[in-house]
Amino acid sequence: MRKVKLNNGVEMPMLGFGVFQVTDLAECERGVMDAIETGYRLIDTAQSYMNEEAVGRAIKNSGFAREELFITTKLWIHSNGYEGAKKAFESSLKKLQLDYLDLYLIHQPFGDVYGEWRAMEELYKEGKIRAIGVSNFQPDRLMDLIVNNEIVPAIN
Amino acid sequence: MIDNNVQIESWGPFAEGKNNIFHNELLQGIGNKYDKSIAQVILRWLTQRGVVAIPKSVRKERMEENFNIFDLELSAEDTKAIKTLDTSASLFFDHRDPAMVKWLGERKMNN
C-alpha cells in the first residue's frame, strides 16, 4: 500500500476503509474483517458513527499485529472541550479495545475546539495518539487553529 | 493547507453517488480507456493528487474494486478533463449555515 508522510513524520496509508453510516454492528464487524482481508490497513471510524465496538472486535479478531494497522477515530462536538475530549478519547479507546490511536480527529469545526485541541495535544505528547488532526474545517478555521496552538494538525 | 503541510483526506470520495456520478460520461470514458470502473478512476484521481481517501462499502467485491487502483496512472489530459467537473461547492452541507451548525451542535454524544 502506498503511504503519505504526515507533517510529524508518521506514515499513513493513501487508501483506507471507512465505516460512516454502517450502523448495523454485525455488518460493520464483518465489513472491517473483509476489508483487512482485502488488504486495507487504514480503518476510519468515529464516535458519532456508533460502531467503534464493532470495529474493535474486527481488529482484535483479524489476527494482525497492532502496528500493521492504522486506526482513525473522531471526536464529536463538545461544549466542555478539554474534559469532554479526554473522556471521549478514553471511551473510544476502550470501545476499540486499543491502547493507542494512530489518528484522532476533531470531527466538526464546532463547539469548544480549542479545549479539545489542548486535550489532544496532551494525549499526543503522552504517546497515546500518533497524529492529531481535524475534519470539515474551512481554510480560515484551520488557519485560526494553527496560529493559536502549538501543534499543527496533521490532517483535514 | 499545503503551506502548513496539512494532509488532505477525502471522507466522501464518491460524493455519496450524488449528481449521478456513477454514470458520469466523462469518467466512464476515461475508465473505458484503462479498463477501470468509475469508482477506480475517482479513487486514483484523488490518490494521484496526494489526497488520502477512505471509501466505504460493505460488499467485498466493491472493497476489492476500490483497492485495486494503483496499477492505474491517469494522464495529464485525463486529470485536466476531470478538473472540469469541479463545481467549487460542497455536495454535502454548508458548514456555515447557522441552522446546520445548530442542528449538529445539539446532537450530543454520551461518552
Side-chain angles (χ1 to χ4, degrees):
Chain A
M1 170 53 61
R2 298 196 192 182
K3 289 180 175 174
V4 290
K5 195 173 264 190
L6 302 176
N7 62 15
N8 65 350
V10 165
E11 291 196 325
M12 174 180 192
M14 284 230 75
L15 187 69
F17 180 72
V19 293
F20 178 41
Q21 290 170 340
V22 187
T23 49
D24 181 295
L25 294 184
E27 188 175 51
C28 179
E29 185 177 341
R30 186 184 47 76
V32 174
M33 290 287 283
D34 284 347
I36 293 174
E37 203 182 289
T38 301
Y40 292 87
R41 296 294 174 262
L42 158 60
I43 308 293
D44 178 287
T45 183
Q47 184 186 3
S48 67
Y49 299 170
M50 310 290 281
N51 56 18
E52 288 172 312
E53 287 106 328
V55 172
R57 280 195 295 275
I59 294 168
K60 198 176 180 193
N61 294 333
S62 74
F64 273 83
R66 173 66 185 91
E67 61 272 18
E68 289 184 65
L69 301 171
F70 189 103
I71 311 299
T72 305
T73 193
K74 312 180 197 83
L75 172 70
W76 191 244
I77 303 165
H78 283 81
S79 307
N80 60 335
Y82 182 84
E83 296 80 10
K86 287 275 176 107
K87 270 191 209 159
F89 172 77
E90 289 304 329
S91 166
S92 286
L93 211 57
K94 197 172 161 195
K95 286 177 180 167
L96 288 162
Q97 302 187 54
L98 300 177
D99 52 13
Y100 74 92
L101 277 180
D102 293 284
L103 181 65
Y104 198 35
L105 305 177
I106 294 182
H107 204 150
Q108 299 288 352
F110 309 128
D112 180 13
V113 293
Y114 278 80
E116 289 167 7
W117 193 250
R118 278 192 291 278
M120 287 164 65
E121 285 180 330
E122 282 184 14
L123 293 163
Y124 171 76
K125 287 178 185 171
E126 287 164 17
K128 291 178 176 170
I129 313 170
R130 295 177 67 223
I132 54 177
V134 298
S135 173
N136 294 304
F137 274 52
Q138 299 282 352
D140 61 320
R141 301 287 322 245
L142 180 67
M143 185 56 81
D144 185 50
L145 194 73
I146 289 172
V147 298
N148 289 296
N149 285 287
E150 187 190 338
I151 298 174
V152 175
I155 203 159
N156 182 21
Chain B
M1 301 215 329
I2 291 164
D3 288 347
N4 287 285
N5 201 9
V6 180
Q7 173 64 44
I8 303 172
E9 182 172 42
S10 163
W11 56 256
F14 306 136
E16 294 179 356
K18 289 187 170 76
N19 286 358
N20 212 14
I21 198 164
F22 288 115
H23 297 282
N24 183 281
E25 281 181 19
L26 190 148
L27 297 174
Q28 186 66 63
I30 293 171
N32 289 347
K33 273 201 301 187
Y34 302 102
D35 197 23
K36 290 284 180 187
S37 68
I38 285 183
Q40 289 173 319
V41 170
I42 294 171
L43 292 173
R44 190 63 187 117
W45 172 69
L46 287 166
T47 53
Q48 207 169 300
R49 296 166 69 219
V51 176
V52 172
I54 45 167
K56 179 215 93 173
S57 179
V58 289
R59 288 168 51 188
K60 193 145 194 288
E61 63 272 22
R62 287 271 170 78
M63 292 178 196
E64 284 165 2
E65 178 186 330
N66 294 341
F67 194 73
N68 294 319
I69 58 165
F70 291 106
D71 56 344
L72 168 64
E73 208 62 38
L74 295 168
S75 69
E77 188 193 328
D78 298 329
T79 53
K80 202 175 156 194
I82 294 171
K83 207 176 172 189
T84 64
L85 298 174
D86 187 7
T87 62
S88 298
S90 172
L91 285 166
F92 300 103
F93 58 83
D94 181 0
H95 279 82
R96 290 190 173 132
D97 173 6
M100 184 52 77
V101 176
K102 182 168 187 281
W103 184 81
L104 283 171
E106 286 171 354
R107 283 187 73 224
K108 294 292 181 222
M109 307 283 305
N110 295 319
N111 288 326

